[in-house]
């Protein structure tokens, strides 16, 4: 919540995410948020000029998108921990619907797409230390690209959840990580 | 087009994809398709009971989603050819907008999600032969899972295009394939 934001920002954010979960992106309206939060529509518009600005603020504030950067001493365990967090984000009861709705809507909403791009860039920035530590321990080929590794791992989960409609089990995280670490050729 | 479908199905499909490209999923309406194709709204509803049924039929018919299964004699080249086709599908001028809009909308439209699930399952069924041939040539570890490999590769492209808003270059296809083939550990 911005320091200068309305005192009832938390109520507005909660109403925003609840409506998104219940009715999807298209069913989310500033009018609905006003009715649910009891905060005046004009007040909401004063602080967030659009539905997507409000949604971006709610997602940022909600802590739904937090990331704990692991430091287990092993690249394999660090990657498993990172990918398990992505799995929880995509499939968790509180976050799955929200994240899925936002990623879906972002394909045709430039402002929301800007938010998801910033989100992915921010994640990668914070994940890089995992690869630097692994390189220091000699666990990573010198030409390995951290972004490529994370895109493979996160992308596979994303495709399974959003494209194939699967709910990947935690065991599949290890299979994905092991494949990217060691490859599939004999 | 179903054998029993309306004679002007092609016009209806063309109008459907054009409206989807121009106005996105939410801007696609049966009314709009009727106006654009010159086919009566009642006729359209008689053959496709919903917007999503019509969209699924248009996508299937349009050949946009065709796949050429490569047989180059090398797993690496076969995978590059498969992944380049996915890249063209996601970023091509005729297909990019359509595919992006459909994947986005499918996150909250069960009928459309059924279509995308069937699409991914169909692709995998046809891609398996690439892995069988590679196994026969001794190019693939016996425990390698074709679905996992394709999910990593397609997922990475998908995340880059839809999540990061990038337009991956063809060179990145080789980087992705080589990483999945040989891994990132020394």
């Amino acid at each position: 919540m911005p320091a200068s934001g309305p005192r009832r920002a938390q109520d507005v954010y909660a109403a925003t995410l609840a409506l998104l979960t219940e009715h999807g992106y298209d069913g989310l309206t500033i009018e609905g948020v006003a009715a649910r939060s009891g905060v005046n529509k004009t007040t909401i518009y004063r602080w967030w000029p659009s539905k997507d600005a409000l949604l971006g603020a709610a997602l940022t504030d909600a802590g739904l998108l937090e990331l704990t950067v692991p430091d287990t001493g092993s690249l394999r365990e660090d990657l498993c921990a990172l990918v398990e967090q992505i799995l929880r984000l995509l499939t968790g009861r509180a976050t799955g619907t929200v994240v899925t709705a936002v990623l879906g809507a972002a394909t045709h909403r430039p402002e929301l797409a800007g938010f998801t791009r910033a989100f992915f860039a921010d994640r990668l920035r914070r994940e890089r230390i995992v690869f630097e530590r692994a390189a220091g321990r000699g666990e990573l080929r010198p030409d390995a690209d951290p972004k490529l590794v994370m895109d493979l791992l996160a992308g596979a989960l994303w495709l399974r959840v959003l494209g194939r409609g699967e709910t990947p089990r935690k065991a599949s995280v290890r299979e994905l990580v092991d494949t990217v670490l060691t490859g599939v050729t004999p």
Side-chain angles (χ1 to χ4, degrees), chain A:
Chain A
M1 162 182 166
S4 54
R7 277 179 299 171
R8 298 202 44 214
Q10 295 305 321
D11 297 335
V12 174
Y13 292 158
T16 303
L17 297 178
L19 286 174
L20 182 70
T21 304
E22 289 163 22
H23 304 292
Y25 177 81
D26 295 331
L28 172 66
T29 60
I30 299 276
E31 286 72 15
V33 172
R36 181 128 177 180
S37 65
V39 173
N40 198 286
K41 202 173 90 171
T42 320
T43 306
I44 296 178
Y45 271 118
R46 193 181 311 137
W47 290 102
W48 302 282
S50 70
K51 163 171 146 174
D52 289 340
L54 171 58
L55 184 52
L59 291 168
T60 304
D61 180 83
L64 289 179
L65 308 180
E66 268 172 23
L67 173 75
T68 307
V69 177
D71 186 11
T72 63
S74 138
L75 176 58
R76 179 168 188 262
E77 296 310 316
D78 280 359
L79 287 179
C80 284
L82 282 177
V83 179
E84 276 168 22
Q85 289 185 68
I86 299 169
L87 179 61
R88 275 198 297 276
L89 194 66
L90 282 169
T91 61
R93 209 158 56 94
T95 56
T97 324
V98 166
V99 171
T100 308
V102 170
L103 289 173
T107 59
H108 58 283
R109 303 284 304 185
E111 194 172 352
L112 215 50
F115 175 81
T116 67
R117 277 200 304 277
F119 166 70
F120 281 110
D122 172 66
R123 296 289 276 225
L124 183 63
R125 212 161 24 237
R126 291 150 73 196
E127 287 157 350
R128 283 190 186 276
I129 184 72
V130 161
F131 294 89
E132 287 165 22
R133 289 190 196 118
R137 290 188 301 259
E139 290 184 287
L140 198 63
R141 222 180 277 175
D143 62 344
D145 175 359
K147 173 170 179 290
L148 194 148
V149 170
M150 292 312 303
D151 286 353
L152 286 167
L153 293 171
L157 279 190
W158 212 31
L159 188 144
R160 287 179 173 188
V161 173
L162 300 181
R164 295 198 194 272
E166 296 177 358
T167 308
R169 291 162 306 108
K170 213 174 138 181
S172 64
V173 168
R174 257 162 217 285
E175 291 170 4
L176 290 167
V177 168
D178 283 341
T179 301
V180 172
L181 285 179
T182 61
V184 293
T185 47

